[in-house]
């Protein structure tokens, strides 16, 4: 990646001149059984990693070209919600469903910004306000952690996209061997929110940091996620 050409930074870069794509993610939210917020964020992060590592996304795979086009431009992700028949229609489209403890997230190959499949285009972006029934426990030792900013308020959908950004930055920084080890372990990942003092330390630690481009919800340049993978320390 050329210096200063982050796919997430808010200033104009060469990435802005490339055709723009978005990675669609759909979270299943049934009225009577919504997923827990943290589980939804972790499942979204894993879904991004599964898509990045899938054989169809690599080499001469059927999704490889659009994955390259997407990664050559801004790395945009949009999370929409579905239930019932909407979810079944989404599942019928090419993609990958990743399940967590309570969450189901389906990730799809990137699409042009103005070229969403109709089954996904009509799904709602708003309304992904999820809660955790109980506060998350500390992450297990050795598990990669995506630290979310304690200073930025985000809807669950926005936070899911940000967690996906953080997972992707960590993936890019790893060696082939480290990527393979993470994949073979099933992409364990925890999403947690630190206190403000630990957060400031994390931001200055040199670990992969997401600075949001500010297309939705939050101010451009906001620091949202630090990707803390043990191999990167």
């Amino acid at each position: 990646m050329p210096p200063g050409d982050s796919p997430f930074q808010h200033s104009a870069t060469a990435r802005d001149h490339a055709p723009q794509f978005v990675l669609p993610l759909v979270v299943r939210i049934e009225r009577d059984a919504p997923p827990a917020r943290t589980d939804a964020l972790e499942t979204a992060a894993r879904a991004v990693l599964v898509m990045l590592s899938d054989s169809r996304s690599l080499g001469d795979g059927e999704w490889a070209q659009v994955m390259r086009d997407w990664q050559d431009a801004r790395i945009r992700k949009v999370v929409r919600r579905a239930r019932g028949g909407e979810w079944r229609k989404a599942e019928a489209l090419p993609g990958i469903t990743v399940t967590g403890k309570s969450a189901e997230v389906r990730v799809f190959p990137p699409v042009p910004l103005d070229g969403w499949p109709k089954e996904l285009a009509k799904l709602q972006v708003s309304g992904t306000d999820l809660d955790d029934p109980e506060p998350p426990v500390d992450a297990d030792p050795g598990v990669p952690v995506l630290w979310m900013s304690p200073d930025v308020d985000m809807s669950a959908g926005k936070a899911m996209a940000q967690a996906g950004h953080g997972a992707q930055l960590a993936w890019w920084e790893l060696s082939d061997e480290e990527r393979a080890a993470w994949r073979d372990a099933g992409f364990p990942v925890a999403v947690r929110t630190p206190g403000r003092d630990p957060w400031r330390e994390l931001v200055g630690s040199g670990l992969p940091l997401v600075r949001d481009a500010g297309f939705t919800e939050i101010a451009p340049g906001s620091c949202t996620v630090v990707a803390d993978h043990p191999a990167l320390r």
Side-chain angles (χ1 to χ4, degrees):
M1 185 185 304
D5 194 20
S6 166
F8 303 111
Q9 69 182 27
H10 62 284
S11 57
T13 74
R15 290 177 177 272
D16 293 304
H17 301 293
Q20 298 294 304
F21 291 81
V22 60
L23 186 79
L25 297 105
V26 175
V27 56
R28 184 178 186 181
I29 303 181
E30 301 290 348
R31 282 198 180 96
D32 58 347
R37 180 184 173 100
T38 295
D39 189 42
L41 269 59
E42 292 171 350
T43 305
R46 287 174 48 228
V48 171
L49 293 166
V50 168
M51 174 59 76
L52 288 167
S53 62
D54 191 276
S55 61
R56 291 166 288 185
S57 299
L58 305 172
D60 296 325
E62 61 184 288
W63 300 337
Q65 184 60 57
V66 73
M67 287 292 288
R68 287 192 290 268
D69 291 343
W70 169 61
Q71 292 179 86
D72 284 344
R74 291 285 188 179
I75 308 300
R76 300 191 187 194
K77 301 178 181 72
V78 171
V79 178
R80 297 177 183 264
R81 59 184 173 89
R83 63 172 181 265
E86 296 172 333
W87 175 256
R88 290 190 289 274
K89 289 178 182 178
E91 278 201 307
L93 298 177
I96 306 168
T97 298
V98 177
T99 59
K101 296 175 183 176
S102 60
E104 290 181 77
V105 175
R106 188 163 179 83
V107 59
F108 303 86
V111 298
L113 282 178
D114 57 355
W116 284 69
K118 64 180 185 300
E119 294 89 349
L120 302 183
K122 65 183 180 181
L123 299 178
Q124 294 294 313
V125 177
S126 61
T128 51
D129 294 323
L130 303 172
D131 297 311
D132 282 314
E134 298 177 359
V137 299
D138 291 343
D140 292 336
V143 170
V145 180
L146 302 173
W147 297 105
M148 308 294 292
S149 171
D151 300 319
V152 180
D153 291 327
M154 294 180 280
S155 67
K158 178 69 172 180
M160 289 170 68
Q162 297 297 301
H165 292 339
Q168 187 164 2
L169 285 183
W171 177 258
W172 281 346
E173 292 291 327
L174 297 175
S175 67
D176 290 344
E177 293 77 13
E178 290 161 347
R179 289 180 179 181
W182 200 9
R183 181 192 64 231
D184 293 346
F187 289 123
V189 65
V191 174
R192 298 292 186 270
T193 301
R196 284 184 167 80
D197 287 342
W199 171 250
R200 284 192 288 270
E201 294 177 7
L202 285 161
V203 168
S205 68
L207 290 166
L209 171 66
V210 178
R211 291 183 182 271
D212 191 61
F215 293 119
T216 60
E217 288 195 29
I218 60 179
S222 298
C223 297
T224 57
V225 184
V226 172
D228 187 2
H229 191 292
L232 301 179
R233 282 191 166 272

